[in-house]
């Protein structure tokens, strides 16, 4: 999985040199909790997210399973930051640096925590919500499977 992000050069560009669009969304706490439960394996919640306007969250879970269609979908539909989360949490330094450089501090620290870095968990405790902390724990468990 780490190599998939490395194929991108510079400031996160496609191989043809174009920068990807980035869609930023704020999610209600109940959606973050549904995402967390989906990461635990509750497929009905992943189906709900997929069919109700949160396809990117489902695709992020599928990217942890190394599904090429999910990885491509995230890049092509404006969610490279979620793919960077996956890659950074799997130890890809380029993805981690990209998250930091582009001020995705929440995602960067989630990735650190998923990787087992205490400073990631500490940052989340001080700067995030319980929903994101819970999501991080579930993504960490998913990654370790």
């Amino acid at each position: 999985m780490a190599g998939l992000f490395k194929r991108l050069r510079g400031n996160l560009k496609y191989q043809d040199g174009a920068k990807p669009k980035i869609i930023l969304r704020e999610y209600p706490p109940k959606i973050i909790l549904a995402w967390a439960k989906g990461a635990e394996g509750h497929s009905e919640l992943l189906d709900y997210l997929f069919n109700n306007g949160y396809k990117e969250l489902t695709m992020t879970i599928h990217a942890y399973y190394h599904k090429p269609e999910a990885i491509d979908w995230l890049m092509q539909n404006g969610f490279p930051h979620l793919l960077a989360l996956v890659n950074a949490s799997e130890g890809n330094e380029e993805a981690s640096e990209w998250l930091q450089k582009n001020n995705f501090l929440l995602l960067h620290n989630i990735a650190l925590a998923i990787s087992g870095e205490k400073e990631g968990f500490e940052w989340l405790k001080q700067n995030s919500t319980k929903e994101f902390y819970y999501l991080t724990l579930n993504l960490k468990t998913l990654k370790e499977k």
Side-chain angles (χ1 to χ4, degrees), residues 75-133:
M75 282 301 292
Q76 293 169 6
N77 290 280
F79 299 97
H81 49 298
L82 295 179
L83 181 57
L85 164 66
V86 173
N87 283 284
S89 69
E90 292 185 344
N92 184 305
E93 287 296 319
E94 184 180 355
S96 183
E97 290 170 13
W98 185 87
L99 288 169
Q100 286 180 292
K101 182 178 178 180
N102 290 282
N103 294 315
F104 290 107
L105 297 180
L106 175 63
L107 297 179
H108 170 71
N109 283 284
I110 289 173
L112 283 178
I114 291 169
S115 298
E117 301 292 332
K118 287 185 180 181
E119 66 261 24
F121 279 116
E122 290 302 318
W123 189 95
L124 291 170
K125 284 181 188 176
Q126 295 175 7
N127 300 289
S128 187
T129 63
K130 292 177 184 178
E131 295 85 15
F132 279 108
Y133 194 85

Side-chain angles (χ1 to χ4, degrees), residues 36-83:
K37 295 302 268 180
E40 280 183 352
H42 295 273
S43 60
E44 66 280 355
L45 287 172
L46 287 179
D47 290 343
Y48 172 83
L49 293 171
F50 187 89
N51 293 316
N52 289 282
Y54 301 100
K55 186 174 182 178
E56 72 275 11
L57 303 181
T58 300
M59 290 301 188
T60 303
I61 299 301
H62 291 305
Y64 272 103
Y65 287 108
H66 303 248
K67 296 194 178 215
E69 62 276 6
I71 294 163
D72 291 342
W73 189 94
L74 288 169
M75 282 301 292
Q76 293 169 6
N77 290 280
F79 299 97
H81 49 298
L82 295 179
L83 181 57

Side-chain angles (χ1 to χ4, degrees), residues 18-43:
K19 281 189 170 186
K21 67 178 178 178
I22 297 176
I23 297 174
L24 300 175
R25 297 183 67 183
E26 289 192 30
Y27 302 103
K30 69 179 184 178
I31 296 302
I32 299 300
L33 290 173
W35 189 18
K37 295 302 268 180
E40 280 183 352
H42 295 273
S43 60

Side-chain angles (χ1 to χ4, degrees), residues 10-24:
N11 189 20
L12 188 66
K13 296 178 182 174
Y14 291 101
Q15 289 179 342
D16 66 2
K19 281 189 170 186
K21 67 178 178 178
I22 297 176
I23 297 174
L24 300 175

